[in-house]
Amino acid sequence: MNPFRLSALTGALFVALAAPAPAADKPVKVFVLAGQSNMEGHGFVPADPKRNDGKGSLEYVAKQPATADQFKHLLGKDGKWAVRDDVWIHYLERKGKLTAGYGVREDRIGPELGFGWVVGNAFEEPVLLVKLAWGGKSLGKDFRPPSAGGEVGPYYTEVITRTKAVLKDLKKEFPEFADRGYELVGFGWHQGWNDRVNQAFVDEYEKNMAHFIRDVRKDLGVKDLPFVIAETGMTGPDEKHPRALALMKAQAAVAGYPEFKGNVAFVKTQNFWRAESESPTKQGYHWNSNAETYYRIGDAMGREMLKLSEKKPAK
């Protein structure tokens, strides 16, 4: 058995977008991860001594005694970044087996790494992450869902079109999946900065987020598709700006709608904030490029996704 994979726990199956897969081969579990630059991911992988002595990079936390036990699974016996052979990722023009380096650049990570390790350990079946993220995009305009009224956001259309295209050509994109087929079983969302800086977008964020969830489910053909919203919590627990507080409140409120009970979850992220003194950069809007932060966001999203899927994370 794959050394990364633990025994699958019994979980609910969700309606698939494809025809049923052959009984002998369980379908690939597919998760969409979407959003703007913080879903792209700006967490530094290599430790650069010129950047705060390498603090906050993935290499730093994987090797420092204080954090190594929590991150050592990311390193292989050869000291290189481990490559999962049961979790794949398709990120716009890049694809392959999941490892460090699927952030906005090949030397960065985003939430996909932590998320992929959590769900990959929990499912017996192969896992595919379809990551769709672009920097500087708002829900109020760029990702605007059809039901919100007004012009449909071009990046809403991109999310739907690209997801369907990958799944339609799954065998071509990933020949190793052969004729397994697939099940679309979850959607992760980390976005908000470009709405947070615009009062009009903040005011309608809760409504737009609810419409986005409903429309994505309708357009991808999966009723009650599990949906995890990661809080736009950059700048940490000391945040005082009213727009920022209002947007985070709106994100949390959507998960509390009666219609979304048991199928939408909200993940608090403010405690994953790391100060400039512990990070590679001073880009607060990118979580100071701290890889630990991005990994923990993905890890938390994955754990909430498993709860929605009635599965337990591996220990």
Side-chain angles (χ1 to χ4, degrees):
M1 180 177 285
N2 182 310
F4 297 129
R5 182 180 299 148
L6 302 179
S7 297
L9 302 174
T10 303
L13 293 178
F14 296 92
V15 178
L17 287 174
D25 294 308
K26 293 182 179 179
V28 176
K29 300 292 186 180
V30 180
F31 297 88
V32 177
L33 299 177
Q36 59 177 124
S37 62
N38 285 318
M39 181 57 84
E40 286 184 306
H42 288 258
F44 275 57
V45 174
D48 183 350
K50 297 179 181 179
R51 292 181 176 272
N52 205 9
D53 297 323
K55 294 178 181 178
S57 66
L58 194 64
E59 181 181 0
Y60 186 91
V61 297
K63 294 182 178 180
Q64 283 296 305
T67 51
D69 282 348
Q70 302 171 56
F71 293 92
K72 62 184 180 182
H73 61 280
L74 298 177
L75 291 170
K77 293 181 179 180
D78 59 0
K80 297 180 180 179
W81 298 112
V83 179
R84 301 278 312 212
D85 63 5
D86 59 343
V87 182
W88 286 258
I89 182 168
H90 191 292
Y91 174 25
L92 300 179
E93 307 309 318
R94 296 155 58 192
K95 62 182 178 180
K97 293 181 177 180
L98 183 66
T99 186
Y102 276 98
V104 66
R105 290 172 17 190
E106 292 182 5
D107 62 349
R108 308 291 174 90
I109 66 163
E112 76 290 331
L113 189 60
F115 185 94
W117 273 81
V118 168
V119 299
N121 285 346
F123 284 96
E124 180 72 20
E125 301 89 343
V127 168
L128 171 63
L129 309 180
V130 179
K131 181 173 163 179
L132 299 166
W134 303 269
K137 301 295 181 284
S138 68
L139 180 60
K141 180 179 179 180
D142 303 295
F143 288 108
R144 191 173 188 84
S147 296
E151 184 178 354
V152 176
Y155 287 89
Y156 174 87
T157 303
E158 284 285 289
V159 167
I160 301 302
T161 301
R162 286 178 178 265
T163 299
K164 288 183 175 180
V166 171
L167 298 181
K168 180 181 178 182
D169 293 330
L170 192 62
K171 186 174 180 179
K172 178 181 177 181
E173 295 282 357
F174 297 94
E176 53 267 64
F177 293 161
D179 294 314
R180 275 184 175 270
Y182 62 86
E183 289 179 295
L184 180 57
V185 293
F187 195 109
W189 178 253
H190 189 34
Q191 181 277 341
W193 180 266
N194 275 57
D195 295 87
R196 170 172 156 158
V197 298
N198 182 314
Q199 186 63 55
F201 288 172
V202 170
D203 292 342
E204 65 174 6
Y205 195 93
E206 181 180 332
K207 178 187 69 175
N208 288 342
M209 190 80 256
H211 283 309
F212 185 87
I213 295 169
R214 297 182 192 113
D215 288 349
V216 164
R217 288 171 168 175
K218 177 183 177 182
D219 289 339
L220 293 182
V222 184
K223 185 177 184 294
D224 295 333
L225 177 68
F227 206 107
V228 174
I229 304 166
E231 180 182 56
T232 304
M234 68 283 286
T235 64
D238 295 328
E239 178 62 70
K240 298 291 192 299
H241 197 289
R243 283 199 308 269
L245 296 175
L247 187 132
M248 290 185 284
K249 183 179 179 181
Q251 291 176 323
V254 173
Y257 282 23
E259 68 181 288
F260 295 151
K261 183 177 181 180
N263 57 66
V264 175
F266 170 73
V267 172
K268 286 194 66 63
T269 64
Q270 285 182 293
N271 288 336
F272 301 142
W273 168 260
R274 299 292 181 265
E276 294 175 7
S277 61
E278 303 174 63
S279 304
T281 74
K282 299 179 180 180
Q283 294 181 341
Y285 49 87
H286 286 152
W287 294 101
N288 292 331
S289 305
N290 193 294
E292 179 187 1
T293 296
Y294 281 101
Y295 187 89
R296 293 193 184 281
I297 290 171
D299 179 275
M301 292 178 71
R303 291 176 186 278
E304 287 300 320
M305 185 66 74
L306 293 183
K307 291 178 183 178
L308 298 180
S309 304
E310 298 182 6
K311 298 182 75 69
K312 295 180 180 179
K315 294 182 179 180

